[in-house]
Amino acid sequence: INPAQPDLLKTQISGPGVERGNVGSVAPFTVKAFNRFGTPIPHGGAPFHLTVTGPAKGADPKGVKLSDQKNGTYNGEYLPILHGVHTVLVELHSK
């Protein structure tokens, strides 16, 4: 039997980095993987991919990364360099 796979529609993303951030300060957030039944995934290894875009062309944040904690959670962060709305996109099975 294969282990349960994450379902992006059930996966939760939370933290300051998806609520608000400050220019020059790291904006952290957490991705918590759940399967299609809403049960937490207890292991890492899911092929999540993170993209964060800035409010204007050429103003994408620095230090964009997503780290697998090996327990079904993934710590993300980025460093905004310009005031404005940033788009945080977490994809599954991309690239």
Side-chain angles (χ1 to χ4, degrees):
I1 297 175
N2 292 327
Q5 297 300 307
D7 182 330
L8 199 53
L9 296 176
K10 301 286 183 175
T11 293
Q12 299 175 0
I13 303 170
S14 61
V18 294
E19 297 164 7
R20 68 178 63 127
N22 295 309
V23 172
S25 295
V26 172
F29 61 94
T30 301
V31 176
K32 176 64 180 148
F34 290 84
N35 68 19
R36 65 187 177 133
F37 302 109
T39 304
I41 302 290
H43 54 79
F48 287 110
H49 177 74
L50 171 63
T51 305
V52 183
T53 55
K57 187 173 183 166
D60 288 343
K62 306 296 180 198
V64 175
K65 63 182 172 181
L66 190 63
S67 304
D68 186 346
Q69 301 304 296
K70 310 291 186 211
N71 64 359
T73 61
Y74 301 78
N75 292 338
E77 67 180 39
Y78 61 95
L79 180 67
I81 61 170
L82 184 68
H83 290 283
V85 175
H86 288 67
T87 302
V88 177
L89 177 63
V90 177
E91 298 174 285
L92 184 60
H93 300 292
S94 75
K95 299 193 179 203

